[in-house]
Amino acid sequence: MTPLRRRSSSASLFGRMSQSFRGNPQGVNLSFVTGGVETLRQVEAKYPALLFKQQLTAYVEKIYGMIRDNLKKEISPLLGLCIQAPRTSRASLVKGSSRSVANTAAQQALIAHWQGIVKSLETFLNTLKANHVPPFLVRKVFTQIFSFINVQLFNSLLLRRECCSFSNGEYVKAGLAELEHWCFTATDEYAGAAWDELKHIRQAIGFLVIHQKPKKTLDEISHQLCPVLSIQQLYRISTMYWDDKYGTHSVSSDVISSMRLSMTEDNHAVSNSFLLDDDSSIPFSVDDISKSMEQIDIADIESPLPLRENSGFSFLLPRTN
């Protein structure tokens, strides 16, 4: 069982951690921990505290990466469905107040995939809380998860013309509102600045749904509407845009020409891709965690059963006088 699946108990994470002491991360020697007191005497280190810190760092980074990547795998299939509105549900939207019930059902179907992501995020957050994961680490995880969402949605938008329509922009905008609401309910303590990581897809969608595009100047688009996007990215969205709802047009031919000229003059921009890269690095150090930790009394927290049964963690058990 992989850690942090929806049905995983709080003990499963620690169970995997304790079991992993029998199979150490590559390049990490944990014999001084698992071998008991006798092995401890064999450790010849000039700075034993530094050795322990290095090995603890390796474990924290390994477990953090596993937790983050598991959530990425869980939401990836849903992200592929969130970038384009389902045609059947979109077509079922009808006009007239007498069809309000049918319209409500259609809207629910349209947003179902986004709500699936929100459900995964909420389950994930509850699991982290149940395992007493520090809010500092929780914020780091969600910041990277939302960055991953931003990269996946934005790249899909730039690669698929069928996604660059006005109505599809409305669909993605409604889905992003679901994520914004989740960040609000999760509070800054746990969500942190995760919402800010969606700036590329938010600005791209803002361009798709804005009205009177032919009247917008390049300066307005690049500095007010989409300041984060590069000229390459703006050019691609502008040339792929199509309005399947009102029949409106994209930006003016003068703006398109200015974009082409800007890309030609900027050799650096021409040589680089317009796609975003996902950052899978570890965004913290053990010192960062230490500085952010609240003072807690270990005696107030009962150790999970897998750790209590492992002699290597006997120091966690309460001592009787």
Side-chain angles (χ1 to χ4, degrees), residues 273-285:
S273 170
F274 50 80
L275 300 178
L276 301 177
D277 295 322
D278 182 36
D279 182 11
S280 296
S281 62
I282 303 298
F284 60 85
S285 66

Side-chain angles (χ1 to χ4, degrees), residues 134-146:
F136 168 81
L137 279 181
V138 177
R139 291 192 295 270
K140 290 294 184 180
V141 173
F142 283 122
T143 296
Q144 286 199 308
I145 290 299
F146 272 65

Side-chain angles (χ1 to χ4, degrees), residues 29-37 39-40 43 48 51-53 55:
N29 178 17
L30 291 172
S31 60
F32 83 104
V33 175
T34 59
V37 179
T39 307
L40 278 174
V43 174
L51 177 62
F52 175 79
K53 182 179 179 180
Q55 294 170 335

Side-chain angles (χ1 to χ4, degrees), residues 75-120:
I75 67 175
S76 287
L78 292 173
L79 287 176
L81 299 171
C82 287
I83 191 58
Q84 186 175 13
R87 293 184 179 181
T88 53
S89 298
R90 183 171 53 189
S92 63
L93 293 176
V94 293
K95 297 181 179 180
S97 58
S98 61
R99 304 291 181 86
S100 60
V101 175
N103 281 342
T104 300
Q107 290 285 3
Q108 289 296 322
L110 278 172
I111 213 70
H113 301 312
W114 290 94
Q115 291 176 339
I117 292 180
V118 169
K119 185 177 180 180
S120 293

Side-chain angles (χ1 to χ4, degrees), residues 6 20 26 39 43 54 64 82 96 101 109 131 142 149 151 165 176 194 227 256 261 272 284 307 310:
R6 292 182 180 177
S20 64
Q26 185 177 2
T39 307
V43 174
Q54 291 173 341
Y64 174 90
C82 287
V101 175
N131 284 279
F142 283 122
I149 294 174
V151 169
S165 67
L176 292 174
I256 295 295
L261 179 61
N272 285 336
F284 60 85
L307 297 189
N310 191 314

